[in-house]
Amino acid sequence: MLRVNEKEVSFQAGMTLADLVKDHAASGEADILLVNGYPASLQTILTDGDQCWLWKRGKVPSAKEMRRLLFARHSPGVQTRLQTKVVGIMGLGGLGSLVAIALARMGIGGLLLADYDVVEPTNLNRQQYFVDQIGQKKTAALRDILQRVNPHVAVTLMDRRLAEDDIGGLFHDVHALVECFDDPAMKAAGLRAALHNLPGVFYVCASGLAGYGENNAIRTRRLYPGVYIVGDEVSGASPGQGLMAARVGIAAHHQANQVVRLLLGEGNEAA
Amino acid sequence: MKILCNGEAQETPSGTRVADYLSQLGLDASSVVVECDGKILTREEYASHVLQDGSVLELIRFVGGG
């Protein structure tokens, strides 16, 4: 048996890559040919068990193809559940931009993204934006990045400043809400809003991720059922202790993984 | 009077409001979420809510950075 674009295809002795291209890609379409991860020519003779990729450069995978890719990597059980879930993200800086990208790569169904800010040159040391996006709204810039990562995520943008009183109404329909604000007053406001107004919505907030302190001081701690805090809870951003890509990234991926665990019915055990 | 704050026994004068207590601890009230006797306080209640002898406080403190 061969795997061709993550689909099983029966193997016959003497088959070449050209035979596969003829049968499994519209003629002349495939110009990227990989066998077991390496570039290969049409004349390559295949061996049973080979994993082959036939791809047209620049082709965007259809929703069905993307689903198949994710099924193959994550198992259908996991993927079927993730693709029906919507996650809200408040703040699209170092944490939020990375949480969004991680969830999109994992095949989340939808993202509701909120920020009022524009991409500044000083953001590029840790946020997922690119030099050519300086000056763009973070909401639009992140949507463009996500489009290149996984075009089949339903992305909704909220280009606005959030306040404690509107968080409950704006994020009422998400399955999980991730707090990625920079301002500690908004972090506190977000948690109060979630505890008061969003029962039944999983909530993952963050505090303490500045500098280059110990990796393992970043932890995920349960505050209430379905409500978690990520970070070392002490390292605030301050002069001399800036926000740096690596540690912010550790915290962001704690947040993203905790969301996935909660959405898949894990990780909500008592503290 | 005695209160319990994040699991530790503490002394505070009777009549202490939550906002007073936070400032005694040197905390900026705006960056703290307060649970008092099992109830999450609204931001407005920090100034009005008076701690009682035996009150159980949980403070969740946020530092900046995101």
Side-chain angles (χ1 to χ4, degrees), chain A residues 5-20:
Chain A
N5 293 6
E6 299 287 6
K7 262 192 296 200
E8 294 205 328
V9 169
S10 60
F11 170 76
Q12 281 144 24
M15 275 177 109
T16 64
L17 208 45
D19 298 327
L20 279 187

Side-chain angles (χ1 to χ4, degrees), chain A residues 209-220:
Chain A
L209 39 103
Y212 51 93
E214 215 188 305
N215 299 341
N216 293 338
I218 304 277
R219 59 183 186 150
T220 299

Side-chain angles (χ1 to χ4, degrees), chain B residues 6-49:
Chain B
N6 288 3
E8 289 185 19
Q10 305 286 351
E11 277 288 338
T12 192
S14 65
T16 303
R17 290 176 162 77
V18 167
D20 305 329
Y21 188 68
L22 295 177
S23 81
Q24 282 172 36
L25 296 178
L27 296 177
D28 175 0
S30 72
S31 63
V32 181
V33 172
V34 181
E35 180 194 316
C36 186
D37 300 321
K39 180 174 173 284
I40 303 294
L41 301 188
T42 66
R43 184 67 186 84
E44 294 71 36
E45 286 170 325
Y46 292 18
S48 59
H49 193 89

Side-chain angles (χ1 to χ4, degrees), chain A residues 92-111:
Chain A
L92 305 178
L95 293 173
S97 59
L98 196 47
V99 169
I101 289 172
L103 291 173
R105 287 197 193 283
M106 289 186 278
I108 198 77
L111 291 170

Side-chain angles (χ1 to χ4, degrees), chain A:
Chain A
M1 200 66 85
L2 301 170
R3 285 196 81 80
V4 180
N5 293 6
E6 299 287 6
K7 262 192 296 200
E8 294 205 328
V9 169
S10 60
F11 170 76
Q12 281 144 24
M15 275 177 109
T16 64
L17 208 45
D19 298 327
L20 279 187
V21 170
K22 197 152 45 90
D23 293 346
H24 298 278
S27 64
E29 275 280 297
D31 55 3
I32 299 175
L33 310 173
L34 303 174
V35 176
N36 300 326
Y38 292 97
S41 71
L42 284 170
Q43 292 74 41
T44 305
I45 295 169
L46 299 170
T47 316
D48 199 9
D50 279 347
Q51 307 222 4
C52 307
W53 270 102
L54 316 174
W55 203 255
K56 171 75 180 163
R57 194 174 301 277
K59 176 186 184 297
V60 176
S62 67
K64 205 172 149 198
E65 285 173 313
M66 201 84 187
R67 222 172 7 251
R68 202 169 61 230
L69 297 177
L70 291 167
F71 271 21
R73 285 288 169 271
H74 296 165
S75 90
V78 164
Q79 213 51 49
T80 308
R81 279 181 283 168
L82 285 185
Q83 76 196 12
T84 60
K85 301 293 194 271
V86 178
V87 177
I89 303 179
M90 303 192 289
L92 305 178
L95 293 173
S97 59
L98 196 47
V99 169
I101 289 172
L103 291 173
R105 287 197 193 283
M106 289 186 278
I108 198 77
L111 291 170
L112 181 50
L113 306 175
D115 202 300
Y116 64 91
D117 221 350
V118 296
V119 179
E120 292 178 47
T122 53
N123 297 154
L124 298 180
N125 76 320
R126 66 190 187 283
Q127 306 188 14
Q128 299 302 306
Y129 305 102
F130 296 95
V131 170
D132 57 22
Q133 294 182 309
I134 290 169
Q136 290 181 19
K137 285 285 187 179
K138 286 185 181 173
T139 42
L142 187 54
R143 177 196 55 207
D144 293 347
I145 294 170
L146 295 172
Q147 181 71 21
R148 296 177 66 191
V149 167
N150 180 348
H152 305 294
V153 180
V155 176
T156 306
L157 304 181
M158 282 198 287
D159 178 17
R160 59 179 290 168
R161 195 184 272 271
L162 298 175
E164 183 164 350
D165 290 343
D166 19 83
I167 288 171
L170 292 170
F171 293 97
H172 202 263
D173 294 328
V174 301
H175 298 96
L177 181 56
V178 195
E179 178 271 295
C180 299
F181 292 128
D182 188 52
D183 173 12
M186 280 311 296
K187 289 176 173 293
L191 178 57
R192 272 193 306 268
L195 292 173
H196 280 133
N197 303 318
L198 293 172
V201 173
F202 295 126
Y203 189 81
V204 183
C205 56
S207 177
L209 39 103
Y212 51 93
E214 215 188 305
N215 299 341
N216 293 338
I218 304 277
R219 59 183 186 150
T220 299
R221 179 168 77 91
R222 179 183 183 270
L223 295 172
Y224 298 97
V227 176
Y228 284 76
I229 187 168
V230 164
D232 66 17
E233 300 186 46
V234 289
S235 305
S238 62
Q241 183 169 254
L243 294 163
M244 297 172 74
R247 207 153 187 261
V248 173
I250 293 172
H253 280 147
H254 268 250
Q255 288 188 290
N257 192 51
Q258 189 60 32
V259 166
V260 167
R261 287 172 60 74
L262 290 165
L263 293 177
L264 295 178
E266 305 276 338
N268 201 14
E269 57 279 342

